[in-house]
Amino acid sequence: MSLDPYLLREDFPILSEKLPNGKSLVYLDNGASSQKPKSVIEATNAYYTKENANIHRGVYYLSQHATELYEKTRIKTSHFFQAQCAKAIIFTKGTTDSINLVAQSYGRTNVFEGDEIVLSVQEHHSNLVPWQMLALEKKANLRFIPILEDTTYDLSELDQIINKRTKIVAVSQMSNVTGTIHDLTRIIDRAHSVGAKVLVDGAQSASHMPIHLVNMDVDFYAFSAHKMLGPTGVGVLFGKEEILEAMPPWIGGGDMIESVELEFSTYANLPAKLEAGTPNIAGVIGFSHALDYLQKVGMENIKNHEQMLVGYALEKLNRLGGIQLYGTEDLDKRGAVVSFTMEGIHPHDVGSILDEEGIAIRVGHHCCQPLMKQWKIPGTCRASFYLYNTKEDVDLLVDGLKKVKSIFSRVVRK
């Protein structure tokens, strides 16, 4: 089956809105955050208007109902990603929060002086800075998996990079800069062979392709709801149950305790132990409806649609000329991202001119400054697609880039 993006667009109110300059919105910044369907918006509003109460603690109807909706989302998330069990799903504020939880709880407990943490050179800052902070505190060392010219991981020296001193390997499944999808099998197998744990940053991949967490055999997997049609402020950390059970709480407070005395406390069982305080209840309930929407459309259909769009965009951009494209040419290894630079034109200028046409792309270093420094560029222009994008969106992007070239050619002539 295939999806019909024109039909799906009717479910997203913002896509029919006019911008202040009268232009129609061409939204191509899905790598940063996706738009929300009516079902998610209505579910979030319904919580505040009809169901608002704190969860887990009240014996009255509203509290019990809100708790039921919240916990059903946990079960639904577990099934959607084929996780080990619902207790292995921890709700957080986002991917960044999930990674920091692992670094501060598992990392501080298991990483010591002289140990090594393995990352890649193209990690998002959210999967780099927390490990830098941990390494500095614990006097551990960071090592990096390089990338090949096609932006896939260079695994030629993997056995030396991941060795008996390695305690944690933290890598992305899909690059937020290039869209490159990495086969992590060798990395996971090598890490486990030396007793290291693996965290996968799934911020980009979770929203664009089917994920089977048990089959992946990852120890931790982190992603955000807002990139997959859900509300902001909601993230998920999957962890193998036995590992999460052994991890101490990172944040103390309400709802994560079993018993509290003046001088010590004992902690609740999973998942409460790692979910201190009042969470984003409305956001989690909204995320449940986002999962329903994605389930109905089909993740394989979404992946195939986006692959078609990326192939079409690469073809059109190559014809345009004066464009430097980044990422693999193998569409089977590429997600819904096209990253490029224009000869002699700063990415910020490109983004500003496209904005005048109603075209929203992301420009800059994309929270991957080390990668930009390796490429010796200030940043790239990034167009990122989702299930509601069309070939016409790509055509409008290309027309906008033609305008950029025209403007700068006049400037050069002057």
Side-chain angles (χ1 to χ4, degrees), residues 90-312:
I90 308 298
F91 288 123
T92 67
K93 294 184 295 184
T95 307
T96 301
D97 195 42
S98 296
I99 295 171
N100 274 274
L101 193 162
V102 176
Q104 294 300 314
S105 178
Y106 181 85
R108 294 176 81 184
T109 306
N110 293 279
V111 174
F112 302 99
E113 184 174 354
D115 287 341
E116 295 182 353
I117 301 167
V118 173
L119 313 168
S120 86
V121 299
Q122 62 176 358
E123 294 307 314
H124 189 283
H125 296 165
S126 293
N127 197 32
L128 177 59
V129 177
W131 304 112
Q132 292 174 341
M133 296 167 66
L134 178 66
L136 182 64
E137 175 187 342
K138 305 295 285 189
K139 297 182 180 178
N141 300 309
L142 300 176
R143 301 197 67 178
F144 297 93
I145 298 171
I147 58 172
L148 299 168
E149 188 174 348
D150 68 353
T151 69
T152 58
Y153 289 144
D154 180 355
L155 304 182
S156 60
E157 302 294 330
L158 188 65
D159 289 355
Q160 288 71 47
I161 295 171
I162 300 177
N163 56 68
K164 63 181 181 181
R165 293 183 298 276
T166 305
K167 288 297 180 71
I168 297 172
V169 178
V171 290
S172 59
Q173 186 176 20
M174 173 178 159
S175 168
N176 71 302
V177 176
T178 65
T180 301
I181 299 171
H182 303 286
D183 182 354
L184 301 178
T185 304
R186 279 190 60 193
I187 294 175
I188 294 169
D189 289 347
R190 175 57 184 169
H192 287 164
S193 74
V194 299
K197 304 303 182 190
V198 179
L199 178 144
V200 171
D201 177 353
Q204 297 296 323
S205 52
S207 53
H208 298 290
M209 53 193 285
I211 302 295
H212 194 308
L213 290 172
V214 170
N215 283 353
M216 282 182 69
D217 195 27
V218 292
D219 302 294
F220 302 102
Y221 191 91
F223 60 94
S224 298
H226 73 93
K227 295 182 190 292
M228 49 192 308
L229 308 184
T232 58
V234 175
V236 172
L237 172 67
F238 160 80
K240 288 182 177 176
E241 185 180 358
E242 62 274 16
I243 300 175
L244 295 176
E245 289 280 11
M247 286 167 49
W250 173 38
I251 298 175
D255 214 32
M256 49 74 68
I257 53 86
E258 178 184 56
S259 176
V260 176
E261 306 294 338
L262 285 177
E263 295 182 352
F264 68 92
S265 299
T266 57
Y267 306 123
N269 294 324
L270 289 175
K273 178 179 71 170
L274 298 173
E275 291 184 8
T278 299
N280 185 350
I281 304 168
V284 169
I285 293 171
F287 181 47
S288 175
H289 290 261
L291 291 175
D292 288 340
Y293 194 97
L294 292 172
Q295 186 75 42
K296 183 178 179 180
V297 175
M299 295 306 295
E300 195 67 40
N301 290 334
I302 293 171
K303 179 182 177 182
N304 292 337
H305 174 69
E306 293 170 347
Q307 190 176 75
M308 177 276 295
L309 285 178
V310 170
Y312 182 71

Side-chain angles (χ1 to χ4, degrees), residues 28-29 176-178 317 322-326 334 337-343 345-354 359-366 372 375 377-384 397 401 404:
L28 300 176
D29 193 22
N176 71 302
V177 176
T178 65
L317 290 170
I323 299 283
Q324 173 66 56
L325 293 163
Y326 298 86
R334 187 160 191 156
V337 173
V338 174
S339 201
F340 61 92
T341 52
M342 299 188 73
E343 185 178 354
I345 308 174
H346 196 284
H348 289 175
D349 293 324
V350 177
S352 296
I353 296 171
L354 290 179
I359 303 167
I361 67 166
R362 183 57 60 106
V363 296
H365 54 66
H366 314 299
M372 299 299 151
W375 286 343
I377 57 175
T380 70
C381 307
R382 185 188 71 186
S384 48
L397 170 64
L401 295 177
V404 173

